Amino acid sequence: MRVEVDDAGVAVLTLDGADRLNAFSTETGQALSAAYARCDHDETIKAVVLTGAGRAFCAGADLSAGSGAFAAPGAGFSASPVQPPAFRMRKLVIAAVNGHAIGIGLTLALQCDVRLVCADAQLAVPQVRRGTIGDAAVHFTLTRSVGLAVAAEVLLTGRTFSGAEAAQRGIATRALPAAEVLPAAVAMAREVALLANPASVALSKRLLWADLTADEVAAEETAAHVILMNGPDAAEGAAAWRENRAPRWRPTAGDGRTTG
């Protein structure tokens, strides 16, 4: 796992096993968990991009003989081996899916807030064809993104589809040529890092991923407005717009909560 942070506060996390198409292992899960935790708690980091080294994003679990990928699980096993998941972080997390994303490779990307994909990449959640089911909370993330019908087709057939189809069906935000995926993701992350209020991003992201009714969301939005408008952020945003300058936000995202 490589972690690089630029001058705008954008952290690029790279799954760094190109010789194995960045196949997922226990060590990968531990390294990504640690990187996510660091990015979530480091207030100098404003946005995160997750990508893969070489020509793949992540080819999924190592299925070679002796790997034990689908062996009987022991005590403490979890089908969600990356904690915190991207959707629980307070920062924007963008998946730059630069190549093939299979199994947990795709389900980890689906935990991100935004997905930019290589148009020619092969994508799949094929676990029903391997004797298991999708992991990393994909039955929540995919259904939330595209609805039951599309999620059912992806998860119950296990079929492979292209990045271009993923964008057409709402599984990804945009499909791009492979060489453009990471630069586009970083450009988006830098725009957020430089212009968006960290506390506003944290509060808005929490609501986007919350399992709440319309009335509950409206109440949470009101609570968020009260927090932000009672502090310097809302006034600073308006002043920056009037003065045609970059905003000077407080350096903290807070805890991303409006109520306990």
Side-chain angles (χ1 to χ4, degrees), residues 44-238:
T44 67
I45 294 175
K46 308 299 183 184
V48 179
V49 175
L50 176 65
T51 193
R55 60 190 178 89
F57 179 75
C58 174
D62 181 1
L63 297 182
S64 61
S67 69
F70 290 158
F77 168 81
S78 173
S80 293
V82 176
Q83 296 295 329
F87 57 80
R88 294 292 183 222
M89 296 169 63
R90 298 171 300 155
K91 321 293 174 70
L92 169 70
V93 185
I94 302 170
V97 183
N98 54 299
H100 302 330
I102 306 297
I104 198 167
L106 182 54
T107 60
L108 287 176
L110 286 164
Q111 293 187 343
C112 298
D113 304 302
V114 177
R115 283 163 296 285
L116 305 184
V117 301
C118 169
D120 295 333
Q122 293 184 345
L123 312 178
V125 185
Q127 279 89 323
V128 294
R129 302 186 181 196
R130 309 288 184 266
T132 61
I133 65 171
D135 46 33
V138 69
H139 294 81
F140 167 77
T141 59
L142 185 56
T143 303
R144 190 174 191 83
S145 296
V146 297
L148 179 60
V150 175
E153 180 183 343
V154 170
L155 297 177
L156 302 183
T157 70
R159 74 176 184 86
T160 300
F161 51 95
S162 69
E165 181 182 345
Q168 292 168 358
R169 306 194 73 178
I171 299 169
T173 308
R174 273 188 280 162
L176 301 165
E180 297 179 17
V181 172
L182 181 57
V186 171
M188 181 185 296
R190 283 182 63 87
E191 185 173 8
V192 169
L194 293 170
L195 298 177
N197 176 25
S200 297
V201 170
L203 290 166
S204 184
K205 176 169 175 173
R206 177 181 176 272
L207 287 178
L208 284 169
W209 285 99
D211 187 16
L212 301 174
T213 67
D215 288 342
E216 289 168 337
V217 167
E220 290 286 304
E221 288 175 343
T222 297
H225 277 81
V226 169
I227 290 171
L228 297 169
M229 295 172 75
N230 275 330
D233 295 323
E236 169 59 16

